[in-house]
Amino acid sequence: MIAPSQKPLLILQTGHAPEPIRRAHDNFPQMFIRQGDIDAQQVVIVDLQAGERPLPPENYCGAIITGSRSMVTEHLAWSEEAADWVRLGMLQELPMFGACYGHQLMAYALGGEVDYHPQGIEVGTHEVTLTPAGHLDPLVSQLPAQFAANLIHLQTVITPPATATVLAKTLHDPHQILRYGPNAVSTQFHPEFSLAVMKTYLSWLASIAEDDRVDFAHQAQQLSETPLSQGLLLSFVGALGKRQALAG
């Protein structure tokens, strides 16, 4: 948990969970707060789609960038402004953690290529495997060589930024965790999604599916808890608390 400090943690909200998910589990920022064991009193939530904008990066102890139903390749005005903000945050070595859209936004902002995955959607609980670099990473190396994570994405990081390091992969996607610098990391998977959230998500996806190319019912049967994936988020938040204590 983040200790009380003068600088809050920013949650940069890039979208909203679908209504059935919000009704049962609240919205994306609240999922991060819950799964990251974050003190809600120490958080500032900025809803980009609602027209809100963050202060300059130096006003925060760190930033978490959420998922979204929007696509980075739409180049929406708020998203392009957020990419500019990420670049400023990198210059100031602000601790940043992006998930799904946040992952793709960070990669795009720093020179990577984002587009639709050529093999389509990756959804469900899947096995993530650390790369050799992941085994050496100060944050990611605490994880075992393979661990379970929850995924729902159509777009992906096709080509990481030249300066990024790939720390983990799945069979479907070779860029599951990226590191951009000493304080910035992102995941294609969702450490903020619990098993209950995923069950609701897959039920909703099955109800709106227009074709049968993805068997959401089968994927729902394969879901499991993902404590190690959540642990990565908890470790990032814990490191913020230690950083704040040293700075204070």
Side-chain angles (χ1 to χ4, degrees), residues 8-25:
L9 170 64
L10 170 68
I11 296 183
L12 208 54
Q13 183 178 349
T14 64
H16 296 267
E19 194 275 333
I21 286 81
R22 292 200 307 272
R23 186 170 63 245
H25 308 288

Side-chain angles (χ1 to χ4, degrees), residues 98-113:
C100 200
Y101 190 96
H103 168 75
Q104 297 162 15
L105 178 68
M106 289 176 70
Y108 162 75
L110 301 173
E113 177 190 2

Side-chain angles (χ1 to χ4, degrees), residues 7-228:
K7 291 186 179 182
L9 170 64
L10 170 68
I11 296 183
L12 208 54
Q13 183 178 349
T14 64
H16 296 267
E19 194 275 333
I21 286 81
R22 292 200 307 272
R23 186 170 63 245
H25 308 288
D26 219 325
N27 215 337
F28 293 141
Q30 288 71 35
M31 293 178 195
F32 275 103
I33 290 169
R34 185 166 57 244
Q35 293 292 95
D37 192 23
I38 300 168
D39 182 355
Q41 299 300 313
Q42 298 297 316
V43 170
V44 170
I45 299 170
V46 173
D47 184 346
L48 295 174
Q49 290 191 357
E52 299 173 1
R53 295 295 180 265
L55 297 171
E58 61 265 26
N59 291 276
Y60 307 102
C61 69
I64 291 173
I65 308 174
T66 75
S68 178
R69 295 171 67 188
S70 298
M71 300 295 173
V72 169
T73 56
E74 294 177 292
H75 299 293
L76 299 169
W78 60 261
S79 185
E80 294 298 305
E81 291 176 25
D84 289 339
W85 192 93
V86 166
R87 287 187 279 268
L88 287 175
M90 284 297 297
L91 289 174
Q92 298 182 27
E93 297 190 344
L94 180 74
M96 290 186 283
F97 188 105
C100 200
Y101 190 96
H103 168 75
Q104 297 162 15
L105 178 68
M106 289 176 70
Y108 162 75
L110 301 173
E113 177 190 2
V114 173
D115 210 334
Y116 285 94
H117 195 292
Q119 274 75 56
I121 191 171
E122 183 177 33
V123 61
T125 303
H126 295 287
E127 190 173 79
V128 178
T129 302
L130 298 189
T131 65
H135 286 288
L136 300 174
D137 186 81
L139 180 67
V140 175
S141 61
Q142 66 191 284
L143 295 168
Q146 295 179 321
F147 62 95
N150 291 320
L151 295 119
I152 304 176
H153 69 111
L154 285 165
Q155 293 205 332
T156 188
V157 177
I158 300 292
T159 307
T163 56
T165 303
V166 181
L167 303 180
K169 62 184 179 179
T170 58
L171 290 176
H172 185 87
D173 193 317
H175 308 131
Q176 283 291 337
I177 306 179
L178 295 177
R179 178 171 289 284
Y180 310 95
N183 300 316
V185 67
S186 66
T187 67
Q188 182 56 72
F189 57 83
H190 287 277
E192 80 281 16
F193 281 7
S194 66
L195 173 60
V197 169
M198 285 295 292
K199 285 181 176 178
T200 307
Y201 242 113
L202 289 197
S203 176
W204 173 72
L205 287 170
S207 73
I208 65 169
E210 296 180 354
D211 59 55
D212 57 0
R213 286 180 292 179
V214 179
D215 188 344
F216 291 108
H218 173 73
Q219 291 294 342
Q221 293 174 356
Q222 308 303 311
L223 294 175
S224 67
E225 295 287 1
T226 56
L228 295 173

